Amino acid sequence: MKKINVTVVEDEPEILEGIEIILNQSLLFQCTGTYSNGEKLLEEINILKPDLVLMDIVLPGINGIECLKLIKMLNPDILVVMLTVFEDDEKIFNSILAGADGYLLKKTPPNKLIESLSDIVNGGVAMNPQIAKKVLDIFRIKPAQEFESLSNREMEILDGLVKGFTHKQIAEKLFISPETVRGHLKNIYRKLHVHSKTEAVVKALSFNPYRKY
């Protein structure tokens, strides 16, 4: 099985080394790049072509949130998971709005870190209730007309996301391929003016006529 290439951006050497070891000992991931700052990552990201970037929110120079925005501009298909020392709701909230695909605490145990990254890679959405409420409040002011532009198939896929299904589960349920699901997701993000599945789920939950369950 082809391993998922992960690049880690962390300015504390001990934490960086620890995460690298954990990733390389797993069956699913391999660490193919480590950086202590975002600038160097951005210089080399097109060479590395990571599948996933695991990045500290607080970095010297360009911070993690600004680096996240630039990564998504360069390649929106790269998954970006933010690392934080503690649950700083404001920083995590801003990360989600900038397009983060998830976030993890630095104190996360090795087995839980691998499990969480696996969930995110498979289309899972992670967000604590406090962050969900903040993003929900933002999206409540958005026009409902955006949902009218979604096709029936796109609504079915969004429904699956809201119910917590992974890309693979949605594909099996709808008798389509995971690649087709990902293609529809790109259209959903564009039509709803969001950057990640996390935002799409919260926005769907904020749209009361959409909620049938």
Side-chain angles (χ1 to χ4, degrees):
M1 182 178 67
K2 181 180 179 295
K3 289 196 172 186
I4 294 165
N5 294 328
V6 182
T7 294
V8 185
V9 189
E10 168 59 59
D11 64 323
E12 295 186 37
E14 290 184 2
I15 294 177
L16 183 62
E17 182 180 357
I19 292 173
E20 182 178 11
I21 291 171
I22 292 168
L23 290 169
N24 286 333
Q25 287 179 342
S26 74
L27 298 175
L28 184 60
F29 301 99
Q30 61 182 1
C31 184
T32 53
T34 59
Y35 296 90
S36 60
N37 62 75
E39 287 88 346
K40 192 64 178 174
L41 165 69
L42 291 169
E43 286 178 15
E44 301 181 1
I45 196 165
N46 287 331
I47 300 171
L48 278 177
K49 299 186 185 330
D51 302 304
L52 186 152
V53 173
L54 188 56
M55 181 164 57
D56 191 359
I57 290 182
V58 181
L59 290 169
I62 182 173
N63 66 47
I65 295 173
E66 291 305 314
C67 189
L68 159 65
K69 293 176 183 176
L70 292 170
I71 291 170
K72 289 295 186 178
M73 286 175 61
L74 290 169
N75 187 344
D77 291 333
I78 296 176
L79 296 172
V80 182
V81 178
M82 308 305 289
L83 282 171
T84 180
V85 176
F86 52 92
E87 293 201 49
D88 184 331
D89 285 0
E90 196 62 35
K91 286 189 175 67
I92 296 171
F93 171 67
N94 289 332
S95 297
I96 295 297
L97 290 185
D101 296 283
Y103 62 87
L104 291 170
L105 297 181
K106 292 186 183 182
K107 63 183 180 183
T108 302
N111 61 331
K112 184 62 178 176
L113 184 143
I114 295 300
E115 180 185 332
S116 298
L117 290 179
S118 299
D119 286 343
I120 291 168
V121 166
N122 287 313
V125 174
M127 186 186 300
N128 71 28
Q130 293 84 359
I131 301 302
K133 183 180 184 305
K134 279 191 173 187
V135 182
L136 190 61
D137 289 341
I138 289 290
F139 287 146
R140 276 201 177 107
I141 65 174
K142 298 286 185 177
Q145 288 89 336
E146 291 173 350
F147 286 90
E148 296 175 2
S149 66
L150 298 182
S151 67
N152 289 336
R153 177 64 84 195
E154 289 164 351
M155 287 292 280
E156 288 175 332
I157 289 172
L158 185 56
D159 176 73
L161 282 184
V162 171
K163 290 177 177 174
F165 297 157
T166 65
H167 294 178
K168 183 180 178 182
Q169 289 170 328
I170 293 172
E172 290 173 352
K173 179 180 173 62
L174 300 178
F175 303 103
I176 57 178
S177 71
E179 290 73 25
T180 300
V181 171
R182 283 190 282 272
H184 282 302
L185 282 174
K186 287 182 182 179
N187 290 332
I188 291 170
Y189 298 163
R190 176 178 54 80
K191 291 178 180 180
L192 296 185
H193 303 99
V194 298
H195 304 92
S196 69
K197 54 183 162 287
T198 305
E199 285 186 82
V201 166
V202 176
K203 194 162 190 178
L205 289 172
S206 73
F207 180 49
N208 288 329
Y210 172 80
R211 298 178 68 176
K212 305 171 186 175
Y213 38 83

